[in-house]
Amino acid sequence: MTRLLSLLLLASTVSVFGHGPGRTNDFQGRRVLFIGIDGCRADAVSEAMERGLAPQLKALVESEGGLFTRTCYAGGDLKTPTHQPTVSGPGWSSLLTGVWVDRHRVKDNRFLGARFQTYSHFMRRIKEVKPSAWCASFADWPPIHENIADGSRVQGAEFLDVKFTTRPDASRHFIDNPEKDIEVRDEALKTLRTQDPDAMFVYFGSVDEFGHGAIDERASFTPENALYLNAISHVDSHVGELLRAMKARPKFAEEDWLVLVCTDHGGRGNSHGGDSDAERKIWLIAQGKHLNKEDLTTKPVPQTALVPMMYAHLGIVAKPEWTPPPAPESPAPVPQTEATKK
Ligand SMILES: [Zn+2]
């Protein structure tokens, strides 16, 4: 083979596999799988793992590079402008942008005044740095996409290569949420098997609806409730399938995945939104080769720490203009309506 021909072949390989399998992506094989479990209390996930109801999460924690921390917290810092209610709108905004309410301005599930153009979804930032990166998001709580992702688009330009949204039936008290979680799981599995994602976000909503007593009125947010633990157990099996599909990737041995599993808030009784430990103290399960286990398990881990962890894994240096200081403004908080609760 001539040197010219091999150079041409090399060039075409690079362009075809810009977001290819193994090490041929934009990040030398490093990739991110971020799994979100809505409304999952820390003591309940702990109890589920201890009682053999969450064997997949337990195995992830116990695998090489794995950890489980309960030093993670939602709701911002009390008595500061970052203090935010422990509900899904602010919670997922913080988990997906890496900033609190003083910056993203999401005070409830209506997203009024959200500032995602300035404080954007982390996948928009990944694409800004590496336009050929490949990012996918799957969720059965539509505001994840309709507000947080779409609100982050630059002049309406889509940055997600897959954006799968499915909607549980509010008129039926979200009774179909477990089935919607299965749809989310199956679409995410398809992507892991047939595409070469650099970053994936996979969101499951049913645990929160069990906590609310929406799907079954006997259920509530507590580790003593068998129905709530059972809901966690179901999502645990979905997590297991995602991890199996990840490990079954043909060039998995060359790939370097960071897996994060987290929640937006806890709960008490059948609700959440307040400042109790049951609502604010959350958890993080992480697995990867480059994690600082000591820091993550002994120091407080704000919900806003996940985006920087993902950037660090991918080798992305966050630009100062991604998180400018918050502008002074503090309109009165508006009560959320029943229909938008999560
Ligand atoms: Zn909820």
Side-chain angles (χ1 to χ4, degrees):
M1 201 185 306
T2 66
R3 176 171 289 185
L4 179 63
L5 185 57
S6 44
L7 276 175
L8 280 171
L9 275 173
L10 181 67
S12 70
T13 306
V14 167
S15 65
V16 171
F17 297 111
H19 55 268
R23 264 192 254 271
T24 60
N25 69 348
D26 285 307
F27 309 99
Q28 296 80 48
R30 294 185 297 250
R31 295 161 203 273
V32 170
L33 173 61
F34 178 11
I35 299 171
I37 305 177
D38 201 296
C40 186
R41 252 174 80 146
D43 51 4
V45 77
S46 194
E47 178 83 2
M49 285 194 284
E50 275 168 36
R51 286 172 50 178
L53 295 167
Q56 307 298 335
L57 288 171
K58 189 159 190 258
L60 183 62
V61 171
E62 289 172 354
S63 64
E64 197 184 343
L67 65 90
F68 173 51
T69 182
R70 287 178 60 175
T71 63
C72 200
Y73 67 98
D77 294 301
L78 298 172
K79 297 178 182 159
T80 76
T82 66
H83 179 206
Q84 64 188 34
T86 50
V87 293
S88 288
W92 291 112
S93 295
S94 292
L95 286 159
L96 294 169
T97 66
V99 297
W100 296 117
V101 65
D102 57 320
R103 288 182 162 93
H104 62 55
R105 294 279 168 78
V106 179
K107 298 169 190 74
D108 56 36
N109 292 348
R110 295 185 307 170
F111 292 88
L112 296 173
R115 300 195 65 209
F116 297 124
Q117 284 292 304
T118 305
Y119 306 99
S120 298
H121 192 293
F122 75 98
M123 289 180 180
R124 174 192 146 188
R125 297 307 189 185
I126 291 175
K127 298 295 276 268
E128 188 178 314
V129 175
K130 294 281 182 191
S132 58
W134 205 94
C135 299
S137 181
F138 310 80
D140 53 17
W141 191 51
I144 295 279
H145 292 151
E146 293 168 1
N147 295 88
I148 305 175
D150 292 355
S152 299
R153 294 191 297 193
V154 182
Q155 294 176 332
E158 186 59 75
F159 57 87
L160 294 173
D161 297 280
V162 172
K163 184 172 66 182
F164 176 78
T165 316
T166 183
R167 189 184 301 265
D169 190 347
S171 71
R172 293 168 60 221
H173 313 289
F174 306 97
I175 201 160
D176 57 345
N177 212 146
E179 288 132 70
K180 296 296 163 185
D181 278 1
I182 288 170
E183 284 179 34
V184 163
R185 177 200 69 191
D186 288 347
E187 288 298 318
L189 286 174
K190 205 185 291 175
T191 286
L192 277 166
R193 288 171 183 150
T194 62
Q195 303 288 344
D196 296 307
D198 298 312
M200 280 179 72
F201 175 60
V202 188
Y203 166 99
F204 298 110
S206 63
V207 170
D208 183 68
E209 293 304 339
F210 271 98
H212 284 293
I215 295 171
D216 187 317
E217 62 186 14
R218 296 166 299 173
S220 60
F221 289 102
T222 165
E224 279 118 54
N225 187 282
L227 292 161
Y228 187 59
L229 292 187
N230 191 46
I232 295 172
S233 193
H234 272 278
V235 172
D236 176 77
S237 73
H238 301 337
V239 173
E241 289 216 47
L242 293 173
L243 297 176
R244 268 193 293 278
M246 179 187 82
K247 290 177 197 161
R249 291 175 52 74
K251 295 197 173 176
F252 175 72
E254 291 176 20
E255 297 180 349
D256 178 2
W257 286 83
L258 170 67
V259 181
L260 299 178
V261 194
C262 196
T263 189
D264 54 339
H265 54 71
R268 55 196 292 212
N270 284 124
S271 68
H272 54 81
D275 299 327
S276 69
D277 282 355
E279 291 156 296
R280 284 176 55 85
K281 287 193 174 174
I282 56 167
W283 53 277
L284 167 70
I285 289 174
Q287 195 262 328
K289 288 179 192 157
H290 323 286
L291 293 169
N292 188 332
K293 190 170 180 173
E294 173 72 17
D295 278 3
L296 288 168
T297 53
T298 57
K299 294 178 181 168
V301 180
Q303 208 168 36
T304 50
L306 275 72
V307 165
M309 283 172 71
M310 294 189 280
Y311 289 158
H313 180 73
L314 294 173
I316 290 173
V317 179
K319 298 178 185 172
E321 60 262 37
W322 293 357
T323 50
E329 182 253 19
S330 54
V334 261
Q336 59 172 330
T337 60
E338 196 64 30
T340 61
K341 280 214 171 125
K342 188 75 190 171

